[in-house]
Amino acid sequence: MTKRWDRTLIFGLLLALVISMAAGFDNRCEAVRENVLRLHILANSDSEEDQALKLRVRDAILRETAESFAQSSSREETGRLARALLPKIEETARATLEAAGCTDAVRAGLVHMYFDTREYDGTILPAGYYDAVRIELGRAEGRNWWCVLFPQLCIGTAADCTGLEQIEQLAEGPEYRLRFALAEWLERLLAAGRE
């Protein structure tokens, strides 16, 4: 009987250790999530035509907004600018689709949504809830495209952004893949509890 209790105690201690490590790492990840604004574009469908249209919309939006976003120096400023640019972003997407002969609806908004862990140009972004400019094309049932508006990874001018340094720090060391898996597990567990 004591062996069973010993195993239970050891398992409980190991579980507590893993959860505390994941929670500490998740707190560091949360600091990254709070300092990132993402751009997320959902295609109408997975058809080749709709995926090509999604990329056309992406190119047009980045071309039309790059100068404005490049001047932004903080996450808060980028968020305010994104909100102000939503009508322009939506109109740019709509005009791009119309120029290609597509009449799909376009919806653009600022959202707070869940993203899985993603790698962007060698930088790992942890899973979790991020603020994002979300553009939905048509039924928005196709594969998505995303990038980071702040720090300005979409535009390529983020070399001196402190937000990028925070993101890069998370990817240091050999244990980060396991830690991301633990953080994702904890985030999903917490998200399930909120639903």
Side-chain angles (χ1 to χ4, degrees), residues 18 35 90 96 103 126 142 170 172 187:
V18 167
N35 288 302
E90 194 168 289
T96 302
T103 59
L170 290 172
E172 292 176 0
E187 185 68 32

Side-chain angles (χ1 to χ4, degrees), residues 68-175:
S68 297
F69 283 122
Q71 295 175 23
S72 179
S73 61
S74 72
R75 164 59 187 85
E76 293 75 23
E77 182 182 354
T78 305
R80 286 190 301 272
L81 182 59
R83 185 172 303 287
L85 288 172
L86 281 175
K88 180 179 184 175
I89 289 169
E90 194 168 289
E91 180 51 39
T92 298
R94 189 174 290 108
T96 302
L97 291 179
E98 287 174 2
C102 179
T103 59
D104 285 347
V106 174
R107 292 164 306 285
L110 270 171
V111 300
H112 191 70
M113 62 179 284
Y114 184 84
F115 287 87
D116 288 328
T117 297
R118 295 283 189 245
E119 184 173 346
Y120 186 83
D121 280 348
T123 300
I124 305 289
L125 290 172
Y129 286 87
Y130 289 83
D131 289 334
V133 174
R134 182 176 168 113
I135 300 144
E136 297 178 348
L137 307 176
R139 295 183 318 265
E141 295 174 352
R143 288 187 312 273
N144 68 75
W145 179 88
W146 68 272
C147 70
V148 178
L149 289 173
F150 190 85
Q152 298 156 351
L153 301 179
C154 290
I155 302 164
T157 60
D160 58 349
C161 289
T162 57
L164 180 60
E165 291 170 6
Q166 287 177 330
I167 294 168
E168 288 175 340
Q169 287 173 1
L170 290 172
E172 292 176 0
E175 73 284 353

